[in-house]
């Protein structure tokens, strides 16, 4: 453009010189010299009147801009190429700006007014070098402050991602858009916003560090708040609305109803049991839900999904009745039983007591596991309350039906120890047939304080049926009855006044104990531990003992060592008396002599007693 203007000026000067020469040839020489314009001849330009010159300067001041550096002026887009925009700023030549500076405004077109900074007056080709970015930066802070103070909506270009958010070009300033301020819902793909022009609200300005924070979420929330008020005002129980799955948790699904969130609890997602809501729905899925309930402020809205479908119990075949066999899948197991899904959304409970004829405590996990296909018998059916109880043990015969023939009183069998309590042991003879052995029926000879001293769970024991209660389904068993009672033999062997050798095993309170054999542990009272010399037996000392008490029922045996030599003394006294009487007869002594002899013997015995004491 500048070259074209220069060429035109040269051509005009040449034409003026030629015209001057022609005029000089036509005029009188004297007149020509008087009127000849030497400035035009020498400098190639024509002198302009001062008045015209002032008029020209006035026009230039009004219509042309001063191209001084660092000045922001307004220009007009006059032409667009693939890479540049040609801007007219009313200077002697147009300016050029790269389209990269207008990335925030992809709709730029010819005729648009833009602010520019004259970066370089003229380049080597005579064109002005302008900068739109610098012009925007200079004026940006005033605009940003004004937008913040007036809470105006501004337009910005998302340049790139950064840690925690995005960088946005607002009026030429790089503002920060936090990730939490992009949208009201969680953002999973930040890249979808890059290179997009969006509207924002300036929420914070730090003048010291020249930081600007913008928010797109604030604009959405304002719109949502209006929508929310409108939606809340129209909410009614039973109303069906369309929503979008906003968030999925282990306990339910949050649905966006258009600015208002509601919760579909996991139990209201499907008539069938599910382990997690993502088995039924997925994020961003659109679906219809029904309003079940809400609080007074309608801030907590309870929604339902399964309620839009017919209840499975209503579709359950009328042919199913109590006593029928059904098949189903184990969906849930608890300690007390298992839930079986016999049809989609229709479940029945098999209580653990209905899984086996056995009466000892067991868990449902011992019989079934989740996912098992099982067959069961319908025990109860309540269509109104939608409840059903099932049983597995009913598929096999009740073992108690022929109990009297299989386990008559007096019969002996083998069983497995399943459990024990303080008072006895539970023994399983077969599945469903359990019997109790009282602690007193475990052993003939051992004094057992707790069954765990005698048996452990899982042991096999021989038992004898002692009692049978068919109606009460109870069996009384005994283990010791399977062997002979050794106390029948001991009753004769350790009869009263029998003498046995033994050693003092332990010194106990008020006496001592003697182990005559593995069953007989006799007690010796302290006064019966005395020896003939007045001393007492000690632990480990062996001696003879006389049985002074034997109780078969209570398994009590009491022995005495002292009784042995005391009895000998009594025999000696009797023998002396007899001998003295015989001697008296022979010598025929007087009665006084006999009395003196008896008195002397009596005094001797009393003296011995005093020494022992």
């Amino acid at each position: 453009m500048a070259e074209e203007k220069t060429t035109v000026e040269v051509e005009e000067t040449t034409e003026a010189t030629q015209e001057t020469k022609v005029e000089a040839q036509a005029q009188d020489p004297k007149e020509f010299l008087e009127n000849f314009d030497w400035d035009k001849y020498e400098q190639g330009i024509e002198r302009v009147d001062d008045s015209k010159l002032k008029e020209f300067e006035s026009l230039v001041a009004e219509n042309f801009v001063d191209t001084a550096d660092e000045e922001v002026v307004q220009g007009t887009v006059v032409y667009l190429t693939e890479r540049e925009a040609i801007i007219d700023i009313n200077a002697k030549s147009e300016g050029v700006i790269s389209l990269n500076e207008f990335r925030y405004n992809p709709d730029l077109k010819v005729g648009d007014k833009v602010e520019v900074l004259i970066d370089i007056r003229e380049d080597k080709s005579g064109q002005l070098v302008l900068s739109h970015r610098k012009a925007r930066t200079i004026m940006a802070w005033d605009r940003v402050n004004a937008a913040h103070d007036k809470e105006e909506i501004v337009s910005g270009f998302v340049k790139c991602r950064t840690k925690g958010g995005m960088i946005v070009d607002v009026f030429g300033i790089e503002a920060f858009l936090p990730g939490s301020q992009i949208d009201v819902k969680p953002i999973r793909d930040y890249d979808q916003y890059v290179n997009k022009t969006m509207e924002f609200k300036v929420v914070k300005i730090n003048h010291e560090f020249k930081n600007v924070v913008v928010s797109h979420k604030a604009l959405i929330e304002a719109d949502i708040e209006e929508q929310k008020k409108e939606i809340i005002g129209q909410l009614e129980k039973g109303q069906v609305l369309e929503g979008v799955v906003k968030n999925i948790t282990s306990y339910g699904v949050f649905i966006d109803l258009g600015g208002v969130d509601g919760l579909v609890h996991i139990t209201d997602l499907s008539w069938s049991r599910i382990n997690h809501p993502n088995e039924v729905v997925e994020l961003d899925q659109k679906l219809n839900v029904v309003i079940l309930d809400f609080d007074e402020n309608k801030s907590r809205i309870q929604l339902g999904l399964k309620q839009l479908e017919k209840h499975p119990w209503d579709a359950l075949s009328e042919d199913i009745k109590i006593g029928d066999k059904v098949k189903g899948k184990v969906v849930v197991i608890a300690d007390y039983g298992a839930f079986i899904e016999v049809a989609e959304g229709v479940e029945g409970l098999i209580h653990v007591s209905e899984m086996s004829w056995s009466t000892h405590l067991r868990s449902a996990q011992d019989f079934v596991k989740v996912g098992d296909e099982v067959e069961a018998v319908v025990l109860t059916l309540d269509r109104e309350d939608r409840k059903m109880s099932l049983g597995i043990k009913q598929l096999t015969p009740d073992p108690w039906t022929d109990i009297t023939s299989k386990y008559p009183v007096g019969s002996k069998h083998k069983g497995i120890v399943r459990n024990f309590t303080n008072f006895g042991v539970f023994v399983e003879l077969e599945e469903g047939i359990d019997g109790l052995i009282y602690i007193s029926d475990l052993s003939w000879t051992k004094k057992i304080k707790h069954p765990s001293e005698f048996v452990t769970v899982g042991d096999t024991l021989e038992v004898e049926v002692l009692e049978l209660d068919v109606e009460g389904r109870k069996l009384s068993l005994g283990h010791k009855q399977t062997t002979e009672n050794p106390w029948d033999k001991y009753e004769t062997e350790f009869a009263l006044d029998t003498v046995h050798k033994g050693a003092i095993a332990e010194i106990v309170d008020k006496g001592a104990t003697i182990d005559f054999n593995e069953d007989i542990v006799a007690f010796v009272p302290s006064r019966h531990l005395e020896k003939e010399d007045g001393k007492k037996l000690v632990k480990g000392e062996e001696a003879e003992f006389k049985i002074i008490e034997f109780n078969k029922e209570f398994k009590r045996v009491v022995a005495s060592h002292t009784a042995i030599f005391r009895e000998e003394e009594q025999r000696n006294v009797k023998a002396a008396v007899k001998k003295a009487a015989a001697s008296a007869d022979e010598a025929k002594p007087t009665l006084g002599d006999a009395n003196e002899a008896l008195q002397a013997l009596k005094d001797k015995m009393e003296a011995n007693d005093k020494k022992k004491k």
Side-chain angles (χ1 to χ4, degrees):
M1 300 289 289
E3 290 178 357
E4 292 178 2
K5 288 186 177 183
T6 304
T7 304
V8 171
E9 290 174 354
V10 172
E11 289 177 353
E12 289 177 351
T13 304
T14 304
E15 289 177 358
T17 304
Q18 290 176 350
E19 288 177 357
T20 302
K21 289 180 181 180
V22 173
E23 290 177 356
Q25 292 174 358
Q27 291 181 355
D28 181 67
K30 186 178 179 180
E31 183 181 354
F32 174 76
L33 289 173
E34 291 177 356
N35 297 323
F36 185 75
D37 188 346
W38 291 100
D39 291 335
K40 183 178 180 181
Y41 177 75
E42 291 176 355
Q43 299 179 17
I45 58 175
E46 188 175 354
R47 178 176 293 179
V48 181
D49 291 343
D50 291 341
S51 61
K52 290 184 177 181
L53 186 59
K54 289 181 178 179
E55 182 182 353
F56 176 76
E57 289 176 352
S58 176
L59 290 171
V60 170
E62 291 178 5
N63 295 285
F64 288 88
V65 299
D66 184 6
T67 58
D69 294 343
E70 302 301 324
E71 183 180 355
V72 177
V73 297
Q74 190 174 68
T76 304
V77 179
V78 295
Y79 188 72
L80 291 172
T81 69
E82 291 183 357
R83 296 183 177 180
E84 298 173 328
I86 310 301
I87 311 297
D88 181 11
I89 61 170
N90 287 332
K92 69 175 183 178
S93 61
E94 286 82 6
V96 178
I97 299 177
S98 172
L99 286 180
N100 286 335
E101 296 191 23
F102 294 98
R103 289 176 62 191
Y104 74 94
N105 184 12
D107 298 326
L108 184 70
K109 60 185 181 298
V110 174
D112 285 354
K113 300 291 184 181
V114 294
E115 292 166 340
V116 298
L117 178 73
I118 300 173
D119 205 9
I120 302 175
R121 292 187 179 183
E122 289 185 359
D123 61 7
K124 60 183 180 180
S125 62
Q127 286 186 323
L128 289 173
V129 177
L130 308 176
S131 173
H132 179 58
R133 183 183 294 111
K134 291 182 179 180
R136 291 181 72 215
T137 302
I138 291 173
M139 302 188 67
W141 280 102
D142 293 337
R143 292 183 177 179
V144 166
N145 285 320
H148 179 261
D149 295 340
K150 298 178 182 179
E151 297 186 355
E152 294 178 349
I153 298 174
V154 298
S155 179
F157 177 75
V158 182
K159 296 177 66 175
C160 62
R161 285 188 60 179
T162 188
K163 184 178 180 180
M166 319 286 286
I167 297 298
V168 180
D169 185 330
V170 178
F171 302 138
I173 294 176
E174 288 191 346
F176 178 60
L177 172 63
S180 61
Q181 295 298 315
I182 297 176
D183 206 335
V184 291
K185 60 185 179 181
I187 303 301
R188 291 182 289 276
D189 181 16
Y190 284 84
D191 292 332
Q192 63 179 312
Y193 296 97
V194 177
N195 294 330
K196 282 190 176 181
T197 300
M198 301 169 61
E199 290 184 334
F200 302 96
K201 188 175 181 180
V202 180
V203 293
K204 186 177 180 181
I205 298 177
N206 188 318
H207 294 281
E208 182 180 355
F209 297 101
K210 298 294 183 182
N211 290 336
V212 178
V213 179
V214 296
S215 171
H216 180 66
K217 177 182 176 181
L219 302 179
I220 299 175
E221 286 179 335
D223 294 338
I224 288 176
E225 195 61 32
E226 292 298 323
Q227 296 176 12
K228 187 175 180 179
K229 290 179 181 177
E230 184 178 349
I231 293 173
I232 287 178
Q234 299 175 356
L235 288 182
E236 294 180 3
K237 292 181 183 179
Q239 185 178 10
V240 178
L241 299 173
E242 184 182 60
V244 178
V245 178
K246 180 179 180 180
N247 191 21
I248 299 176
T249 68
S250 60
Y251 56 84
V253 179
F254 287 94
I255 306 295
D256 182 0
L257 301 174
V260 180
D261 290 347
L263 173 66
V264 182
H265 194 269
I266 187 171
T267 56
D268 290 315
L269 283 171
S270 173
W271 291 114
S272 300
R273 287 182 183 264
I274 57 175
N275 296 317
H276 197 277
N278 56 21
E279 297 176 17
V280 179
V281 298
E282 57 186 21
L283 284 174
D284 299 327
Q285 178 182 349
K286 288 185 178 181
L287 42 80
N288 290 330
V289 290
V290 60
I291 298 176
L292 302 179
D293 201 1
F294 45 73
D295 58 9
E296 292 182 1
N297 300 324
K298 298 183 180 179
S299 57
R300 292 186 178 182
I301 304 172
Q302 183 182 346
L303 305 175
L305 182 63
K306 71 180 184 181
Q307 287 79 4
L308 296 176
E309 300 177 357
K310 187 178 181 181
H311 198 289
W313 271 87
D314 297 334
L316 186 66
S317 174
E318 293 292 338
D319 295 335
I320 296 179
K321 58 185 181 300
I322 294 175
D324 286 352
K325 294 180 181 179
V326 293
K327 289 184 178 180
K329 181 192 291 185
V330 178
V331 290
V332 174
I333 292 182
D335 288 337
Y336 57 84
F339 288 91
I340 313 298
E341 188 175 52
V342 298
E344 186 175 356
V346 178
E347 296 177 3
L349 172 65
I350 303 179
H351 194 272
V352 66
S353 62
E354 302 298 339
M355 292 183 174
S356 169
W357 290 109
S358 177
T359 56
H360 58 264
L361 296 176
R362 295 172 75 176
S363 175
Q365 287 91 335
D366 296 334
F367 300 95
V368 295
K369 61 180 183 294
V370 173
D372 283 354
E373 294 284 346
V374 297
E375 186 177 32
V377 175
V378 179
L379 303 181
T380 64
L381 180 62
D382 189 339
R383 294 178 182 271
E384 199 170 306
D385 289 338
R386 294 168 177 168
K387 290 182 180 180
M388 178 189 303
S389 63
L390 308 172
I392 295 178
K393 71 181 184 182
Q394 288 77 8
L395 297 172
T396 58
D398 184 353
W400 281 83
T401 52
D402 56 351
I403 190 73
T404 52
S405 60
K406 291 173 67 176
Y407 301 101
V409 174
S411 61
K412 294 181 180 180
H413 311 274
K414 285 186 178 181
I416 298 174
V417 176
R418 292 299 185 189
N419 192 20
F420 47 70
T421 65
N422 292 333
F423 55 83
V425 179
F426 288 96
V427 177
E428 184 182 56
L429 300 180
E430 65 173 82
E431 183 74 21
I433 303 295
D434 290 349
L436 173 64
I437 304 176
Y438 282 100
I439 194 170
S440 59
D441 289 318
L442 286 173
S443 173
W444 289 113
T445 58
K446 291 182 180 180
K447 293 181 178 179
I448 302 170
K449 295 180 179 179
H450 192 274
S452 59
E453 300 173 8
F454 188 80
V455 293
T456 59
V457 174
D459 285 353
T460 299
L461 279 184
E462 287 192 3
V463 295
E464 181 178 316
V465 178
L466 304 181
E467 295 180 18
L468 176 59
D469 181 357
V470 178
E471 290 185 6
R473 300 173 77 92
K474 291 180 180 179
L475 266 178
S476 179
L477 307 174
H479 171 64
K480 71 181 184 181
Q481 288 80 3
T482 59
T483 60
E484 290 185 5
N485 186 353
W487 286 85
D488 292 340
K489 179 180 65 174
Y490 296 148
E491 190 174 19
T492 303
E493 184 179 348
F494 293 90
L496 287 175
D497 296 331
T498 57
V499 177
H500 305 272
K501 271 192 176 184
I504 301 298
E506 294 290 340
I507 300 297
V508 297
D509 187 28
K510 297 183 180 181
T513 60
I514 305 170
D515 296 333
F516 286 126
N517 58 36
E518 61 180 4
D519 296 328
I520 301 295
V521 178
F523 174 70
V524 181
S526 293
R527 61 190 179 86
H528 291 278
L529 288 172
E530 188 176 327
K531 296 185 291 185
E532 193 171 1
D533 59 4
K535 296 181 181 180
K536 288 189 177 183
L537 294 170
V538 296
K539 183 177 179 180
E541 190 173 355
E542 192 175 48
E544 288 187 337
F545 296 89
K546 178 183 284 189
I547 305 300
I548 59 177
E549 182 182 346
F550 183 91
N551 190 312
K552 175 182 174 182
E553 183 180 356
F554 296 102
K555 300 178 180 60
R556 176 179 170 84
V557 178
V558 181
S560 172
H561 171 67
T562 304
I564 291 178
F565 66 82
R566 283 280 176 84
E567 186 177 311
E568 185 66 28
E569 285 182 354
Q570 290 176 358
R571 283 197 298 268
N572 291 337
V573 170
K574 290 179 181 179
V577 170
K578 287 181 180 180
K579 185 176 180 180
S583 298
D585 287 340
E586 292 177 0
K588 293 183 180 180
T590 64
L591 183 60
D593 293 336
N595 289 335
E596 288 178 2
L598 289 173
Q599 184 64 43
L601 183 60
K602 182 178 179 182
D603 291 341
K604 182 182 178 181
M605 291 179 66
E606 288 178 353
N608 287 337
D609 288 340
K610 288 180 180 179
K611 287 180 182 179
K612 292 173 182 177
K613 290 180 180 178

